[in-house]
Amino acid sequence: MAGHAVVIAGAGPTGLMLAGELSLAGVDVVIVERRAGQDLVGQRAGGLLARTLEVLDQRGIVDRFLAEGTIGTVGIGFAGVPLDLSDVPTRHGYVLGLRQKHIERILAGWVAELGVPIHRERDVVGFEQDDGGVDVRLSDGRTLRADYLVGCDGGRSLVRKTAGIAFPGLDPSTSALLAEAELADEPPWGIHRDAIGQHAFTRLDDRLVGVMVAERRLGDSSEPTLRDLKEALVAAWGTDYGIHDPVSISRFTDATRQAAAYRHGRVLLAGDAAHVHSPDGGQGLGLGLQDAVNLGWKLAQVVNGISPDTLLDTYHAERHPVDARALRFTMALTVLRRPDERVKALAGIVADLARMAGPRRHLAGLVSGLDVHYELGEGHPLRGRRVPDLDLVTTDGPIRLFSLLHDARPLLLDLVASGSSDADPWADRVRLVDARFGGPWELPVIGTVIAPSALLIRPDGYVAWVGTADRTGLAEALTTWFGPPAGA
């Protein structure tokens, strides 16, 4: 029986990101994936939002995505109002248009560089966990022994079901078909709304057209066919435009569900295995990557014996409410685009509010993920929020703050050269940096805040402790997040 510290079920974006995080921390991790390669048929996710881009920037790989994507300063629309992100305090105040198949390919390349093995053309078909680990059964008859198993295996997650984790939420009320196919007749290009719902035609290349068509009746759970697609087009447009030779056809709905727990013993969930929702708002892929970055360093510290197993409980405590808030946002978007005249009246009022400066900033922070706040206790507004990517000055010269997070290690940033040795017992696991920053400290939605004297920054880029006049609480925060001091 082969043994690994962590087995990840699924080599989608979430599983790949988590594998990279664990590998950076020196953890023996392996991915199990049913696909023979990383090829992905169909449209799926279509871009990356600001906080997700920041996460990739923190690991030094965002340029790989920027090189292939298309930057648009206007963000996701809300009630028909595009949310301009250009004045949000971030280096990435835009939406990067990039299809999921390219996002996965780039992530897979990064993971390959880190040396993470992927066992392809096999599934996780079951597991049993005990006090010492998890026996993971594969479809090829083999069993892998792991300290922990993480289900990144999608909305129909076998890992979640086998663990007995409830998946409460709302059944679908609407459905639509997505396809990449050839058309014999010219369609009306662009996005259209009618009494059935929202439809769209987009030219993908000189041959293929991207088609989205709302279904008059709620589609069933079976895989959609070309006949289903033709019938939906005829119902909406009176013609199927001679659609033929589809490369892909898929159905999406507004079903919204969230796992009751993100952890059951030595089994954890991330990405779509933990939450599913309508694609409205483009939240899904980014939520999964952010789940992975929150979980990765914590799981690594537990595996490496730095922190107790209870640190993993903070994964659910932090990510569950953040993901739940994003799910509520997607539900609101879905409702506001319904063709009902009463809903249109509501959407008109909401649109007026969304054009106002205050509500627009609030919505931009929400949709971009830049306003995420983990409840880490009272104090400075920076505590529990993502650290801005500041232009720092050190004795070695200028440096961007995010570049100090490329190796996924925690960082104690001293901004006043206090000479304090309070963190010396943690120097083996926390990077200590003296730096200067003379500009304003500005947070999305909140605005300018009081400049700190020091920051303790977690590997995921969130601030665990803020120093102002003194170092009160630093040792406690170091112990809470990065284990007891050396020699304790």
PDB file of all heavy atoms in Angstrom, residues 450-486:
ATOM      1  N   ILE A 450      -5.190  53.673   9.804  1.00  0.00           N
ATOM      2  CA  ILE A 450      -3.976  54.083  10.507  1.00  0.00           C
ATOM      3  C   ILE A 450      -2.825  53.148  10.137  1.00  0.00           C
ATOM      4  O   ILE A 450      -2.981  51.921  10.124  1.00  0.00           O
ATOM      5  CB  ILE A 450      -4.206  54.074  12.026  1.00  0.00           C
ATOM      6  CG1 ILE A 450      -5.285  55.087  12.410  1.00  0.00           C
ATOM      7  CG2 ILE A 450      -2.912  54.364  12.786  1.00  0.00           C
ATOM      8  CD1 ILE A 450      -5.709  55.012  13.858  1.00  0.00           C
ATOM      9  N   ALA A 451      -1.674  53.743   9.867  1.00  0.00           N
ATOM     10  CA  ALA A 451      -0.505  52.942   9.496  1.00  0.00           C
ATOM     11  C   ALA A 451      -0.045  52.097  10.679  1.00  0.00           C
ATOM     12  O   ALA A 451       0.098  52.606  11.798  1.00  0.00           O
ATOM     13  CB  ALA A 451       0.629  53.852   9.035  1.00  0.00           C
ATOM     14  N   PRO A 452       0.208  50.812  10.471  1.00  0.00           N
ATOM     15  CA  PRO A 452       0.695  49.949  11.554  1.00  0.00           C
ATOM     16  C   PRO A 452       2.209  50.080  11.711  1.00  0.00           C
ATOM     17  O   PRO A 452       2.901  50.577  10.811  1.00  0.00           O
ATOM     18  CB  PRO A 452       0.327  48.551  11.056  1.00  0.00           C
ATOM     19  CG  PRO A 452       0.431  48.663   9.567  1.00  0.00           C
ATOM     20  CD  PRO A 452      -0.014  50.051   9.219  1.00  0.00           C
ATOM     21  N   SER A 453       2.704  49.602  12.853  1.00  0.00           N
ATOM     22  CA  SER A 453       4.155  49.567  13.058  1.00  0.00           C
ATOM     23  C   SER A 453       4.737  48.213  12.674  1.00  0.00           C
ATOM     24  O   SER A 453       5.933  48.097  12.408  1.00  0.00           O
ATOM     25  CB  SER A 453       4.485  49.870  14.523  1.00  0.00           C
ATOM     26  OG  SER A 453       3.929  48.875  15.382  1.00  0.00           O
ATOM     27  N   ALA A 454       3.880  47.194  12.658  1.00  0.00           N
ATOM     28  CA  ALA A 454       4.326  45.846  12.292  1.00  0.00           C
ATOM     29  C   ALA A 454       3.114  45.014  11.903  1.00  0.00           C
ATOM     30  O   ALA A 454       1.986  45.289  12.347  1.00  0.00           O
ATOM     31  CB  ALA A 454       5.073  45.191  13.442  1.00  0.00           C
ATOM     32  N   LEU A 455       3.351  43.998  11.075  1.00  0.00           N
ATOM     33  CA  LEU A 455       2.288  43.088  10.649  1.00  0.00           C
ATOM     34  C   LEU A 455       2.782  41.658  10.700  1.00  0.00           C
ATOM     35  O   LEU A 455       3.906  41.371  10.282  1.00  0.00           O
ATOM     36  CB  LEU A 455       1.851  43.396   9.210  1.00  0.00           C
ATOM     37  CG  LEU A 455       1.155  44.720   8.905  1.00  0.00           C
ATOM     38  CD1 LEU A 455       0.926  44.829   7.405  1.00  0.00           C
ATOM     39  CD2 LEU A 455      -0.159  44.833   9.651  1.00  0.00           C
ATOM     40  N   LEU A 456       1.928  40.755  11.188  1.00  0.00           N
ATOM     41  CA  LEU A 456       2.169  39.320  11.070  1.00  0.00           C
ATOM     42  C   LEU A 456       1.233  38.821   9.982  1.00  0.00           C
ATOM     43  O   LEU A 456       0.008  38.871  10.126  1.00  0.00           O
ATOM     44  CB  LEU A 456       1.890  38.605  12.394  1.00  0.00           C
ATOM     45  CG  LEU A 456       2.099  37.091  12.385  1.00  0.00           C
ATOM     46  CD1 LEU A 456       3.552  36.741  12.069  1.00  0.00           C
ATOM     47  CD2 LEU A 456       1.672  36.474  13.722  1.00  0.00           C
ATOM     48  N   ILE A 457       1.822  38.358   8.881  1.00  0.00           N
ATOM     49  CA  ILE A 457       1.055  38.013   7.696  1.00  0.00           C
ATOM     50  C   ILE A 457       1.114  36.504   7.470  1.00  0.00           C
ATOM     51  O   ILE A 457       2.199  35.914   7.425  1.00  0.00           O
ATOM     52  CB  ILE A 457       1.615  38.748   6.456  1.00  0.00           C
ATOM     53  CG1 ILE A 457       1.627  40.258   6.716  1.00  0.00           C
ATOM     54  CG2 ILE A 457       0.785  38.428   5.220  1.00  0.00           C
ATOM     55  CD1 ILE A 457       2.458  41.033   5.703  1.00  0.00           C
ATOM     56  N   ARG A 458      -0.046  35.874   7.329  1.00  0.00           N
ATOM     57  CA  ARG A 458      -0.114  34.440   7.097  1.00  0.00           C
ATOM     58  C   ARG A 458       0.297  34.122   5.656  1.00  0.00           C
ATOM     59  O   ARG A 458       0.302  35.009   4.797  1.00  0.00           O
ATOM     60  CB  ARG A 458      -1.535  33.941   7.358  1.00  0.00           C
ATOM     61  CG  ARG A 458      -2.070  34.316   8.712  1.00  0.00           C
ATOM     62  CD  ARG A 458      -3.404  33.691   9.079  1.00  0.00           C
ATOM     63  NE  ARG A 458      -4.369  33.527   8.000  1.00  0.00           N
ATOM     64  CZ  ARG A 458      -5.624  33.131   8.177  1.00  0.00           C
ATOM     65  NH1 ARG A 458      -6.057  32.867   9.404  1.00  0.00           N
ATOM     66  NH2 ARG A 458      -6.451  32.987   7.164  1.00  0.00           N
ATOM     67  N   PRO A 459       0.614  32.876   5.358  1.00  0.00           N
ATOM     68  CA  PRO A 459       0.989  32.506   3.986  1.00  0.00           C
ATOM     69  C   PRO A 459      -0.102  32.788   2.955  1.00  0.00           C
ATOM     70  O   PRO A 459       0.205  32.949   1.770  1.00  0.00           O
ATOM     71  CB  PRO A 459       1.277  31.008   4.091  1.00  0.00           C
ATOM     72  CG  PRO A 459       1.704  30.813   5.505  1.00  0.00           C
ATOM     73  CD  PRO A 459       0.857  31.763   6.300  1.00  0.00           C
ATOM     74  N   ASP A 460      -1.369  32.844   3.383  1.00  0.00           N
ATOM     75  CA  ASP A 460      -2.450  33.140   2.432  1.00  0.00           C
ATOM     76  C   ASP A 460      -2.630  34.635   2.192  1.00  0.00           C
ATOM     77  O   ASP A 460      -3.531  35.044   1.468  1.00  0.00           O
ATOM     78  CB  ASP A 460      -3.763  32.501   2.879  1.00  0.00           C
ATOM     79  CG  ASP A 460      -4.220  32.950   4.265  1.00  0.00           C
ATOM     80  OD1 ASP A 460      -3.493  33.730   4.917  1.00  0.00           O
ATOM     81  OD2 ASP A 460      -5.299  32.505   4.710  1.00  0.00           O
ATOM     82  N   GLY A 461      -1.781  35.464   2.821  1.00  0.00           N
ATOM     83  CA  GLY A 461      -1.827  36.897   2.595  1.00  0.00           C
ATOM     84  C   GLY A 461      -2.756  37.654   3.514  1.00  0.00           C
ATOM     85  O   GLY A 461      -2.963  38.859   3.327  1.00  0.00           O
ATOM     86  N   TYR A 462      -3.308  37.000   4.530  1.00  0.00           N
ATOM     87  CA  TYR A 462      -4.190  37.670   5.476  1.00  0.00           C
ATOM     88  C   TYR A 462      -3.431  38.008   6.760  1.00  0.00           C
ATOM     89  O   TYR A 462      -2.535  37.276   7.189  1.00  0.00           O
ATOM     90  CB  TYR A 462      -5.432  36.812   5.758  1.00  0.00           C
ATOM     91  CG  TYR A 462      -6.369  36.826   4.578  1.00  0.00           C
ATOM     92  CD1 TYR A 462      -6.167  35.960   3.501  1.00  0.00           C
ATOM     93  CD2 TYR A 462      -7.409  37.745   4.498  1.00  0.00           C
ATOM     94  CE1 TYR A 462      -6.995  36.005   2.387  1.00  0.00           C
ATOM     95  CE2 TYR A 462      -8.237  37.795   3.387  1.00  0.00           C
ATOM     96  CZ  TYR A 462      -8.020  36.925   2.332  1.00  0.00           C
ATOM     97  OH  TYR A 462      -8.834  36.984   1.221  1.00  0.00           O
ATOM     98  N   VAL A 463      -3.806  39.141   7.354  1.00  0.00           N
ATOM     99  CA  VAL A 463      -3.079  39.689   8.497  1.00  0.00           C
ATOM    100  C   VAL A 463      -3.576  39.054   9.788  1.00  0.00           C
ATOM    101  O   VAL A 463      -4.760  39.161  10.137  1.00  0.00           O
ATOM    102  CB  VAL A 463      -3.248  41.222   8.551  1.00  0.00           C
ATOM    103  CG1 VAL A 463      -2.532  41.786   9.780  1.00  0.00           C
ATOM    104  CG2 VAL A 463      -2.712  41.866   7.279  1.00  0.00           C
ATOM    105  N   ALA A 464      -2.669  38.397  10.505  1.00  0.00           N
ATOM    106  CA  ALA A 464      -3.021  37.702  11.742  1.00  0.00           C
ATOM    107  C   ALA A 464      -2.859  38.584  12.970  1.00  0.00           C
ATOM    108  O   ALA A 464      -3.485  38.344  14.004  1.00  0.00           O
ATOM    109  CB  ALA A 464      -2.157  36.444  11.898  1.00  0.00           C
ATOM    110  N   TRP A 465      -1.987  39.583  12.888  1.00  0.00           N
ATOM    111  CA  TRP A 465      -1.709  40.466  14.037  1.00  0.00           C
ATOM    112  C   TRP A 465      -1.206  41.804  13.513  1.00  0.00           C
ATOM    113  O   TRP A 465      -0.518  41.857  12.488  1.00  0.00           O
ATOM    114  CB  TRP A 465      -0.659  39.820  14.947  1.00  0.00           C
ATOM    115  CG  TRP A 465      -0.119  40.730  16.025  1.00  0.00           C
ATOM    116  CD1 TRP A 465      -0.630  40.937  17.272  1.00  0.00           C
ATOM    117  CD2 TRP A 465       1.065  41.539  15.947  1.00  0.00           C
ATOM    118  NE1 TRP A 465       0.147  41.841  17.961  1.00  0.00           N
ATOM    119  CE2 TRP A 465       1.198  42.216  17.167  1.00  0.00           C
ATOM    120  CE3 TRP A 465       2.010  41.749  14.931  1.00  0.00           C
ATOM    121  CZ2 TRP A 465       2.251  43.099  17.422  1.00  0.00           C
ATOM    122  CZ3 TRP A 465       3.056  42.630  15.171  1.00  0.00           C
ATOM    123  CH2 TRP A 465       3.177  43.289  16.412  1.00  0.00           C
ATOM    124  N   VAL A 466      -1.598  42.879  14.199  1.00  0.00           N
ATOM    125  CA  VAL A 466      -1.178  44.221  13.805  1.00  0.00           C
ATOM    126  C   VAL A 466      -0.525  44.899  15.002  1.00  0.00           C
ATOM    127  O   VAL A 466      -1.112  44.972  16.092  1.00  0.00           O
ATOM    128  CB  VAL A 466      -2.373  45.070  13.330  1.00  0.00           C
ATOM    129  CG1 VAL A 466      -1.897  46.461  12.903  1.00  0.00           C
ATOM    130  CG2 VAL A 466      -3.099  44.375  12.182  1.00  0.00           C
ATOM    131  N   GLY A 467       0.701  45.369  14.825  1.00  0.00           N
ATOM    132  CA  GLY A 467       1.386  46.134  15.862  1.00  0.00           C
ATOM    133  C   GLY A 467       1.181  47.618  15.645  1.00  0.00           C
ATOM    134  O   GLY A 467       1.229  48.101  14.511  1.00  0.00           O
ATOM    135  N   THR A 468       0.927  48.327  16.720  1.00  0.00           N
ATOM    136  CA  THR A 468       0.803  49.789  16.636  1.00  0.00           C
ATOM    137  C   THR A 468       1.833  50.413  17.580  1.00  0.00           C
ATOM    138  O   THR A 468       2.952  50.668  17.193  1.00  0.00           O
ATOM    139  CB  THR A 468      -0.626  50.244  16.975  1.00  0.00           C
ATOM    140  OG1 THR A 468      -1.052  49.624  18.213  1.00  0.00           O
ATOM    141  CG2 THR A 468      -1.590  49.838  15.863  1.00  0.00           C
ATOM    142  N   ALA A 469       1.454  50.617  18.840  1.00  0.00           N
ATOM    143  CA  ALA A 469       2.387  51.246  19.778  1.00  0.00           C
ATOM    144  C   ALA A 469       3.375  50.250  20.366  1.00  0.00           C
ATOM    145  O   ALA A 469       4.486  50.607  20.733  1.00  0.00           O
ATOM    146  CB  ALA A 469       1.616  51.949  20.898  1.00  0.00           C
ATOM    147  N   ASP A 470       2.981  48.977  20.496  1.00  0.00           N
ATOM    148  CA  ASP A 470       3.867  47.987  21.112  1.00  0.00           C
ATOM    149  C   ASP A 470       3.636  46.623  20.463  1.00  0.00           C
ATOM    150  O   ASP A 470       2.962  46.510  19.455  1.00  0.00           O
ATOM    151  CB  ASP A 470       3.640  47.922  22.629  1.00  0.00           C
ATOM    152  CG  ASP A 470       2.179  47.650  22.980  1.00  0.00           C
ATOM    153  OD1 ASP A 470       1.515  46.893  22.221  1.00  0.00           O
ATOM    154  OD2 ASP A 470       1.689  48.179  23.986  1.00  0.00           O
ATOM    155  N   ARG A 471       4.203  45.580  21.083  1.00  0.00           N
ATOM    156  CA  ARG A 471       4.111  44.223  20.534  1.00  0.00           C
ATOM    157  C   ARG A 471       3.128  43.355  21.314  1.00  0.00           C
ATOM    158  O   ARG A 471       3.223  42.126  21.270  1.00  0.00           O
ATOM    159  CB  ARG A 471       5.498  43.565  20.542  1.00  0.00           C
ATOM    160  CG  ARG A 471       6.550  44.309  19.708  1.00  0.00           C
ATOM    161  CD  ARG A 471       6.209  44.194  18.234  1.00  0.00           C
ATOM    162  NE  ARG A 471       7.092  44.981  17.388  1.00  0.00           N
ATOM    163  CZ  ARG A 471       7.800  44.493  16.397  1.00  0.00           C
ATOM    164  NH1 ARG A 471       7.765  43.213  16.117  1.00  0.00           N
ATOM    165  NH2 ARG A 471       8.563  45.272  15.657  1.00  0.00           N
ATOM    166  N   THR A 472       2.185  43.971  21.978  1.00  0.00           N
ATOM    167  CA  THR A 472       1.210  43.215  22.749  1.00  0.00           C
ATOM    168  C   THR A 472       0.451  42.237  21.845  1.00  0.00           C
ATOM    169  O   THR A 472      -0.059  42.622  20.792  1.00  0.00           O
ATOM    170  CB  THR A 472       0.198  44.167  23.420  1.00  0.00           C
ATOM    171  OG1 THR A 472       0.892  45.068  24.270  1.00  0.00           O
ATOM    172  CG2 THR A 472      -0.829  43.382  24.221  1.00  0.00           C
ATOM    173  N   GLY A 473       0.397  40.986  22.265  1.00  0.00           N
ATOM    174  CA  GLY A 473      -0.350  39.966  21.547  1.00  0.00           C
ATOM    175  C   GLY A 473       0.421  39.265  20.456  1.00  0.00           C
ATOM    176  O   GLY A 473      -0.090  38.305  19.856  1.00  0.00           O
ATOM    177  N   LEU A 474       1.663  39.689  20.164  1.00  0.00           N
ATOM    178  CA  LEU A 474       2.416  39.066  19.081  1.00  0.00           C
ATOM    179  C   LEU A 474       2.744  37.610  19.380  1.00  0.00           C
ATOM    180  O   LEU A 474       2.541  36.726  18.534  1.00  0.00           O
ATOM    181  CB  LEU A 474       3.696  39.845  18.801  1.00  0.00           C
ATOM    182  CG  LEU A 474       4.641  39.236  17.756  1.00  0.00           C
ATOM    183  CD1 LEU A 474       3.923  39.037  16.425  1.00  0.00           C
ATOM    184  CD2 LEU A 474       5.890  40.098  17.585  1.00  0.00           C
ATOM    185  N   ALA A 475       3.266  37.341  20.569  1.00  0.00           N
ATOM    186  CA  ALA A 475       3.635  35.961  20.913  1.00  0.00           C
ATOM    187  C   ALA A 475       2.412  35.046  20.876  1.00  0.00           C
ATOM    188  O   ALA A 475       2.493  33.898  20.408  1.00  0.00           O
ATOM    189  CB  ALA A 475       4.288  35.923  22.296  1.00  0.00           C
ATOM    190  N   GLU A 476       1.280  35.552  21.327  1.00  0.00           N
ATOM    191  CA  GLU A 476       0.046  34.754  21.297  1.00  0.00           C
ATOM    192  C   GLU A 476      -0.373  34.449  19.863  1.00  0.00           C
ATOM    193  O   GLU A 476      -0.752  33.318  19.534  1.00  0.00           O
ATOM    194  CB  GLU A 476      -1.075  35.504  22.007  1.00  0.00           C
ATOM    195  CG  GLU A 476      -2.398  34.757  22.031  1.00  0.00           C
ATOM    196  CD  GLU A 476      -3.514  35.540  22.678  1.00  0.00           C
ATOM    197  OE1 GLU A 476      -3.270  36.685  23.116  1.00  0.00           O
ATOM    198  OE2 GLU A 476      -4.647  35.016  22.733  1.00  0.00           O
ATOM    199  N   ALA A 477      -0.291  35.457  18.983  1.00  0.00           N
ATOM    200  CA  ALA A 477      -0.664  35.245  17.587  1.00  0.00           C
ATOM    201  C   ALA A 477       0.298  34.280  16.901  1.00  0.00           C
ATOM    202  O   ALA A 477      -0.123  33.411  16.127  1.00  0.00           O
ATOM    203  CB  ALA A 477      -0.678  36.581  16.846  1.00  0.00           C
ATOM    204  N   LEU A 478       1.578  34.397  17.180  1.00  0.00           N
ATOM    205  CA  LEU A 478       2.562  33.479  16.600  1.00  0.00           C
ATOM    206  C   LEU A 478       2.284  32.039  17.023  1.00  0.00           C
ATOM    207  O   LEU A 478       2.347  31.116  16.201  1.00  0.00           O
ATOM    208  CB  LEU A 478       3.968  33.892  17.023  1.00  0.00           C
ATOM    209  CG  LEU A 478       4.548  35.125  16.311  1.00  0.00           C
ATOM    210  CD1 LEU A 478       5.727  35.694  17.091  1.00  0.00           C
ATOM    211  CD2 LEU A 478       4.979  34.758  14.894  1.00  0.00           C
ATOM    212  N   THR A 479       1.950  31.851  18.281  1.00  0.00           N
ATOM    213  CA  THR A 479       1.672  30.504  18.785  1.00  0.00           C
ATOM    214  C   THR A 479       0.378  29.952  18.189  1.00  0.00           C
ATOM    215  O   THR A 479       0.303  28.787  17.793  1.00  0.00           O
ATOM    216  CB  THR A 479       1.570  30.525  20.311  1.00  0.00           C
ATOM    217  OG1 THR A 479       2.801  31.005  20.862  1.00  0.00           O
ATOM    218  CG2 THR A 479       1.282  29.130  20.865  1.00  0.00           C
ATOM    219  N   THR A 480      -0.641  30.804  18.109  1.00  0.00           N
ATOM    220  CA  THR A 480      -1.942  30.377  17.586  1.00  0.00           C
ATOM    221  C   THR A 480      -1.818  29.898  16.155  1.00  0.00           C
ATOM    222  O   THR A 480      -2.356  28.842  15.785  1.00  0.00           O
ATOM    223  CB  THR A 480      -2.949  31.539  17.660  1.00  0.00           C
ATOM    224  OG1 THR A 480      -3.172  31.892  19.027  1.00  0.00           O
ATOM    225  CG2 THR A 480      -4.287  31.133  17.016  1.00  0.00           C
ATOM    226  N   TRP A 481      -1.110  30.654  15.325  1.00  0.00           N
ATOM    227  CA  TRP A 481      -1.105  30.358  13.898  1.00  0.00           C
ATOM    228  C   TRP A 481       0.100  29.558  13.425  1.00  0.00           C
ATOM    229  O   TRP A 481       0.004  28.839  12.440  1.00  0.00           O
ATOM    230  CB  TRP A 481      -1.191  31.671  13.105  1.00  0.00           C
ATOM    231  CG  TRP A 481      -2.478  32.388  13.348  1.00  0.00           C
ATOM    232  CD1 TRP A 481      -2.660  33.540  14.052  1.00  0.00           C
ATOM    233  CD2 TRP A 481      -3.780  31.951  12.941  1.00  0.00           C
ATOM    234  NE1 TRP A 481      -4.001  33.870  14.072  1.00  0.00           N
ATOM    235  CE2 TRP A 481      -4.701  32.920  13.409  1.00  0.00           C
ATOM    236  CE3 TRP A 481      -4.251  30.864  12.208  1.00  0.00           C
ATOM    237  CZ2 TRP A 481      -6.076  32.796  13.182  1.00  0.00           C
ATOM    238  CZ3 TRP A 481      -5.622  30.752  11.978  1.00  0.00           C
ATOM    239  CH2 TRP A 481      -6.528  31.714  12.462  1.00  0.00           C
ATOM    240  N   PHE A 482       1.215  29.651  14.164  1.00  0.00           N
ATOM    241  CA  PHE A 482       2.440  29.006  13.673  1.00  0.00           C
ATOM    242  C   PHE A 482       3.122  28.132  14.706  1.00  0.00           C
ATOM    243  O   PHE A 482       4.316  27.863  14.598  1.00  0.00           O
ATOM    244  CB  PHE A 482       3.386  30.085  13.124  1.00  0.00           C
ATOM    245  CG  PHE A 482       2.711  31.030  12.167  1.00  0.00           C
ATOM    246  CD1 PHE A 482       2.628  32.377  12.450  1.00  0.00           C
ATOM    247  CD2 PHE A 482       2.098  30.553  11.015  1.00  0.00           C
ATOM    248  CE1 PHE A 482       1.957  33.238  11.591  1.00  0.00           C
ATOM    249  CE2 PHE A 482       1.430  31.403  10.150  1.00  0.00           C
ATOM    250  CZ  PHE A 482       1.354  32.760  10.439  1.00  0.00           C
ATOM    251  N   GLY A 483       2.344  27.660  15.663  1.00  0.00           N
ATOM    252  CA  GLY A 483       2.831  26.676  16.608  1.00  0.00           C
ATOM    253  C   GLY A 483       3.630  27.275  17.758  1.00  0.00           C
ATOM    254  O   GLY A 483       3.971  28.465  17.766  1.00  0.00           O
ATOM    255  N   PRO A 484       3.937  26.464  18.767  1.00  0.00           N
ATOM    256  CA  PRO A 484       4.669  26.938  19.935  1.00  0.00           C
ATOM    257  C   PRO A 484       6.103  27.329  19.565  1.00  0.00           C
ATOM    258  O   PRO A 484       6.631  26.873  18.546  1.00  0.00           O
ATOM    259  CB  PRO A 484       4.657  25.731  20.877  1.00  0.00           C
ATOM    260  CG  PRO A 484       4.465  24.556  19.979  1.00  0.00           C
ATOM    261  CD  PRO A 484       3.598  25.021  18.853  1.00  0.00           C
ATOM    262  N   PRO A 485       6.724  28.183  20.356  1.00  0.00           N
ATOM    263  CA  PRO A 485       8.106  28.608  20.054  1.00  0.00           C
ATOM    264  C   PRO A 485       9.071  27.434  20.101  1.00  0.00           C
ATOM    265  O   PRO A 485       8.824  26.416  20.770  1.00  0.00           O
ATOM    266  CB  PRO A 485       8.407  29.646  21.139  1.00  0.00           C
ATOM    267  CG  PRO A 485       7.473  29.308  22.260  1.00  0.00           C
ATOM    268  CD  PRO A 485       6.230  28.793  21.605  1.00  0.00           C
ATOM    269  N   ALA A 486      10.161  27.574  19.393  1.00  0.00           N
ATOM    270  CA  ALA A 486      11.186  26.517  19.391  1.00  0.00           C
ATOM    271  C   ALA A 486      11.676  26.244  20.801  1.00  0.00           C
ATOM    272  O   ALA A 486      11.903  27.166  21.588  1.00  0.00           O
ATOM    273  CB  ALA A 486      12.365  26.951  18.505  1.00  0.00           C
TER     274      ALA A 486
END
